[in-house]
Amino acid sequence: MSMTTPSCPDLYWLPEAADFDGALRMFRNTELSGEENWVTLQTLANYRLDFMQTRRLDRVVSDKTGSLPGSVPRLRLAILGSSTLEHLAPAIRIGALRRGLLVEVHVAPFGQWRQQILDPASALYAFQPDAVLLSLDHAALLPTLPLNAPRIDVEAALDAAVDELAQLWHLLRDRAKAVVIQQTQWIVAPSLFGHFERTVPAAPAAIATQFDARLTVRAAEEGALLLDLRQATSGIGAEQIGDPMLWHHAKQTISPMAAPWVGDHIARILAALRGLSKKVAILDLDNTLWGGVIGDDGLDGVVLGQGSGTGEAYLTFQHYLKALRSRGVLLAVSSKNEQAIAEAAFDQHPEMVLRRDDFAAFEANWNDKPSAVRRIAKDLDLGLDSFVFIDDNPAERDLMRRTLPAVSVPELPEAPELYAKCIADAGYFEAVSFSLEDTKRNDQYAANRERKRRQFSATNMEDFLRDLQMVLTVSAFRQADLPRITQLINKTNQFNLTTRRYTEAEVRALMEDPSVLTYAFRLTDRFGDNGLTSIVIGRRGPEPGSLELDSWLMSCRILGRRVENAVLQVIVEDAKVAGITQLIGRYRPTPKNGLVKDHYPNLGFSLLEGATDPGETAWILPLENLSLPPVDHIAVMRGS
């Protein structure tokens, strides 16, 4: 009797490669610069690759790693588990590559996960991971109890299992200063009672359900992240990524054929940790947000809303986009249409869910769409790698991929009923935190557009800045701000002097270090709250009386308002009180932070010779008798 091999999920939102092996051979045999190698590798990763193609590309990445620019975002991941996991490493690396992240993976010996965590001299800690994935199967996670065990015994056993996990998370965080990613259990033992299963406290499904609930609450309390394979497999079936034969004969919980899919899910969490999740959905209109062509069919002729299955499908997609907007994803339009006709549709169609004000940018004209995306990126002060281009037209998708390879372009299904699922499955907008500030992001960008409009109409810059009525509130890093601070550290690329990245655990350690000064700056003005927009981390240097500015970064939304001058005044005031006699600032150039190359000299710092790493410049500002020019247009307040 033979067992049918289960089908495996594929990355259907990515385009198929016409000749992947040929493209790979050509790349191997072509001499390119480091930046060209990086762009080409990302392009190759953004095809729909199977397990063997993923492995072949991974070998090429390994060969080319030494030639890649030092500015490429990197992360070290350790994987601990109760099954064979080595085959996941290439898939994770390629999944991360397609998101602009280079990942080094360490896989602990089979079944040694608990020993590796408990032993401070283990290879795990020698690896110095930025993140640790605990990939444990249900047998390692769930307690085993007699079927007749009373509910009180089941609950005690479940509490003890979750408590042990939480203790291990604490050890990892304290010793490795790493983010913990806990894989949820997704395979449950075969049912014993059928549909009655979950009403029996000690039955396998009942234990799994109760464990999931406890694990979710505890992870949120402890700051651990979840790789929720139970949720991820709900739409495809767990049997598509696990094969009982492979478990019994090779101890592989996850099938090699499913590795690209699972690896992609792991990679999107890692990318989100580094601030590399997408920020903007750029949308076509005709046959993307509604059926038909509004310029030809008119407002009454477009298909949208109740009364037709297709109209309801477009309505569902708009509801999904509206929900994305509510959690902080920006929406924009790039459509070949007449501007007035396109904009009127959002205010005049009775079934329209989205409104014109829901869009942070709106490009409707007859020019090519890559040019429109460039203009939107400039208007929003965001890099092209922040965007997802959503268009039903395959020719427009192909043009965007060829012209702007940094923009993510999903291979949208033909059926609008599947649009929302496709965008969700692709994981472009993966999150590792959610705060009240995220919900305000669209309003902040709208207010920024109004500021720009006022700036252009002002007679001079000084009058404009005073008219903003800015208030800068400064505080040390606070526990409540930890997710937003970590998010800002890991996603800010342009106004970032050193582009150092820190995990949430590392930021927490900085908060607790008495030799470190931390600053979080919030900016409000008469148009609204810009939120937490600037961060400075200062470390007492090796020289007596010196403070090293380890990190200085600021949101590009507030560029040109001289906020950095007010920030420096705050640092100087505190430094003098603490007996510090000089500030040392460093600038580490990257392809994206050229706009701050003159930051320190513009603030009065002098070049410090012979005290830098290669490619870095150091700057010194003596504080004795220092008098900084006033920043009269910004009021500074100290927060608690």
Side-chain angles (χ1 to χ4, degrees):
M1 179 178 178
S2 62
M3 178 178 289
T4 303
T5 301
S7 59
C8 289
D10 66 7
L11 310 176
Y12 71 90
W13 54 87
L14 296 174
E16 293 186 19
D19 182 13
F20 178 78
D21 291 338
L24 204 57
R25 282 193 301 271
M26 181 179 296
F27 176 52
R28 278 185 179 275
N29 298 325
T30 304
E31 289 294 328
L32 298 173
S33 69
E35 187 63 34
E36 289 170 330
N37 277 330
W38 179 238
V39 172
T40 305
L41 285 171
Q42 285 185 269
T43 299
L44 290 169
N46 271 289
Y47 287 115
R48 192 182 311 172
L49 307 180
D50 61 24
F51 177 65
M52 294 307 299
Q53 290 171 325
T54 298
R55 289 177 63 89
R56 288 198 290 273
L57 179 56
D58 184 60
R59 286 194 289 269
V60 174
V61 174
S62 179
D63 293 341
K64 297 284 187 179
T65 296
S67 69
L68 298 178
S71 58
V72 167
R74 298 164 192 260
L75 185 142
R76 297 162 70 85
L77 172 70
I79 307 179
L80 309 177
S82 53
S83 60
T84 303
L85 297 166
E86 283 81 359
H87 61 293
L88 280 182
I92 293 169
R93 288 190 287 260
I94 298 308
L97 175 62
R98 69 174 57 101
R99 289 167 171 80
L101 179 65
L102 198 63
V103 172
E104 183 179 352
V105 180
H106 165 77
V107 182
F110 172 80
Q112 296 294 305
W113 57 278
R114 188 180 277 103
Q115 296 93 317
Q116 289 282 306
I117 295 172
L118 295 175
D119 181 5
S122 68
L124 163 68
Y125 297 115
F127 178 65
Q128 297 182 322
D130 300 303
V132 177
L133 170 64
L134 282 173
S135 178
L136 308 177
D137 64 17
H138 67 289
L141 283 172
L142 304 180
T144 302
L145 295 162
L147 279 177
N148 63 350
R151 184 175 300 276
I152 189 172
D153 290 352
V154 173
E155 291 179 350
L158 288 167
D159 289 339
V162 173
D163 284 344
E164 184 196 6
L165 264 184
Q167 290 170 7
L168 295 175
W169 297 344
H170 278 288
L171 275 177
L172 285 169
R173 191 174 69 192
D174 294 342
R175 291 177 177 174
K177 301 296 185 289
V179 173
V180 176
I181 305 171
Q182 177 67 56
Q183 178 181 303
T184 61
Q185 47 83 31
W186 54 279
I187 296 178
V188 180
S191 171
L192 296 175
F193 295 93
H195 293 282
F196 190 66
E197 181 94 2
R198 288 202 284 180
T199 64
V200 179
I207 287 178
T209 300
Q210 295 176 71
F211 182 86
D212 263 358
R214 284 169 166 78
L215 184 69
T216 301
V217 172
R218 196 61 172 271
E221 292 173 348
E222 301 288 348
L225 300 176
L226 295 180
L227 172 64
D228 195 353
L229 286 186
R230 172 73 68 87
Q231 173 63 28
T233 60
S234 63
I236 61 171
E239 69 276 1
Q240 286 209 56
I241 66 171
D243 185 334
M245 292 184 67
L246 287 173
W247 166 248
H248 288 292
H249 293 279
K251 291 300 177 282
Q252 289 179 336
T253 307
I254 295 168
S255 160
M257 296 301 104
W261 185 87
V262 175
D264 193 80
H265 277 266
I266 297 169
R268 61 186 63 170
I269 297 175
L270 302 180
L273 283 170
R274 281 291 183 257
L276 297 173
S277 292
K278 304 305 177 183
K279 301 175 179 67
V280 187
I282 299 185
L283 298 144
D284 178 44
L285 297 180
D286 295 329
N287 294 310
T288 300
L289 289 187
W290 54 68
V293 179
I294 195 166
D296 294 336
D297 303 325
L299 198 63
D300 295 334
V302 299
V303 180
L304 178 68
Q306 305 298 324
S308 96
T310 301
E312 291 179 11
Y314 285 113
L315 203 63
T316 297
F317 186 43
Q318 288 200 24
H319 276 294
Y320 177 72
L321 294 168
K322 189 91 167 182
L324 281 179
R325 183 189 183 279
S326 71
R327 52 146 285 199
V329 174
L330 301 179
L331 305 182
V333 164
S334 175
S335 172
K336 288 187 176 177
N337 248 310
E338 294 293 339
Q339 181 93 9
I341 294 174
E343 289 189 326
F346 290 97
D347 295 323
Q348 296 178 14
H349 195 288
E351 300 259 25
M352 195 73 65
V353 172
L354 294 170
R355 295 297 176 184
R356 173 62 183 86
D357 289 345
D358 288 325
F359 297 96
F362 202 104
E363 285 273 341
N365 50 53
W366 301 103
N367 299 325
D368 66 280
K369 293 193 175 184
S371 295
V373 172
R374 287 192 187 97
R375 285 191 296 272
I376 291 171
K378 183 178 180 181
D379 184 44
L380 298 178
D381 290 323
L382 291 171
L384 290 169
D385 56 0
S386 300
F387 293 88
V388 178
F389 177 74
I390 302 171
D391 196 309
D392 71 292
N393 188 328
E396 295 287 5
R397 297 197 297 264
D398 185 61
L399 176 63
M400 189 64 66
R401 292 187 186 111
R402 292 172 184 271
T403 309
L404 300 179
V407 176
S408 293
V409 184
E411 195 66 357
L412 210 61
E414 291 186 7
E417 293 83 356
L418 300 176
Y419 285 179
K421 183 179 187 300
C422 175
I423 302 306
D425 286 350
Y428 297 117
F429 304 108
E430 185 77 27
V432 291
S433 64
F434 181 61
S435 67
L436 179 62
E437 200 153 307
D438 291 318
T439 67
K440 298 178 179 179
R441 186 166 294 126
N442 280 276
D443 293 336
Q444 290 169 351
Y445 274 88
N448 208 39
R449 287 200 307 272
E450 180 62 18
R451 292 183 193 101
K452 287 184 177 182
R453 189 186 70 79
R454 293 295 182 94
Q455 180 178 347
F456 292 135
S457 64
T459 56
N460 63 72
M461 191 65 178
E462 294 301 325
D463 287 344
F464 166 71
L465 292 175
R466 279 192 294 271
D467 187 52
L468 283 177
Q469 302 170 22
M470 287 181 282
V471 177
L472 187 69
T473 303
V474 56
S475 66
F477 288 2
R478 301 178 300 186
Q479 180 67 33
D481 293 328
L482 198 54
R484 172 58 178 161
I485 290 169
T486 307
Q487 183 186 66
L488 201 57
I489 287 172
N490 285 293
K491 78 174 186 179
T492 304
N493 295 305
Q494 296 181 76
F495 195 114
N496 195 331
L497 275 298
T498 57
T499 321
R500 291 191 175 99
R501 308 302 193 187
Y502 292 113
T503 65
E504 188 168 312
E506 289 171 326
V507 175
R508 187 182 292 107
L510 291 172
M511 293 167 54
E512 298 168 354
D513 189 336
S515 69
V516 176
L517 296 180
T518 61
Y519 295 93
F521 295 89
R522 295 178 176 275
L523 186 70
T524 60
D525 58 39
R526 70 187 188 87
F527 293 107
D529 184 358
N530 293 273
L532 201 160
T533 54
S534 187
I535 287 170
V536 177
I537 299 169
R539 299 178 185 265
R540 290 187 180 272
E543 298 296 326
S546 67
L547 183 72
E548 295 253 2
L549 300 178
D550 170 280
S551 298
W552 189 335
L553 53 96
M554 190 169 75
S555 168
C556 289
R557 295 200 308 272
I558 59 172
L559 287 179
R561 302 199 214 172
R562 302 176 196 160
V563 173
E564 59 271 27
N565 298 79
V567 168
L568 179 61
Q569 287 192 336
V570 171
I571 298 170
V572 168
E573 288 175 9
D574 288 357
K576 288 181 175 180
V577 171
I580 292 165
T581 58
Q582 61 184 17
L583 301 181
I584 306 294
R586 299 185 186 276
Y587 169 62
R588 298 168 64 188
T590 73
K592 293 185 176 182
N593 73 350
L595 69 87
V596 292
K597 63 183 177 66
D598 296 323
H599 173 76
Y600 285 119
N602 287 342
L603 291 176
F605 286 66
S606 301
L607 186 65
L608 183 62
E609 300 285 356
T612 63
D613 295 329
E616 181 180 89
T617 55
W619 303 83
I620 184 170
L621 183 69
L623 302 187
E624 187 177 1
N625 301 321
L626 177 67
S627 179
L628 295 173
V631 187
D632 296 331
H633 62 279
I634 300 177
V636 177
M637 297 181 61
R638 296 278 183 166
S640 57

